[in-house]
Amino acid sequence: PDIIVVGSRNETAASAGLQNLAGWQDVPAVKAGRVVAMPSNMICHPGIRLAETIERLAQECHPALFR
């Protein structure tokens, strides 16, 4: 994949964690640094923050559109 989205309590650790797992270094998203870690409650529990979640995903996938 070109982008990987991970839900985690610790966003920094989640991104770094994939880079340290065997075999993941060859995944295009990991190579390019396109691992997006977001609070798990935004990803796993849709609710009143759904619009905020969609906007953040859009910003991560298409950053040039939000400059």
Side-chain angles (χ1 to χ4, degrees):
D2 294 327
I3 298 173
I4 297 174
V5 178
V6 178
S8 176
R9 289 184 184 170
N10 186 332
E11 296 178 43
T12 305
S15 295
L18 283 181
Q19 296 173 358
N20 297 325
L21 291 175
W24 283 82
Q25 300 87 354
D26 297 326
V27 175
V30 176
K31 278 184 179 180
R34 299 289 311 250
V35 177
V36 177
M38 296 176 62
S40 58
N41 64 347
M42 290 180 81
I43 299 294
C44 301
H45 305 286
I48 61 171
R49 297 180 68 190
L50 184 60
E52 181 183 347
T53 301
I54 292 170
E55 182 177 8
R56 179 152 175 205
L57 286 171
Q59 288 173 350
E60 296 289 348
C61 294
H62 304 286
L65 297 176
F66 291 87
R67 292 188 185 142

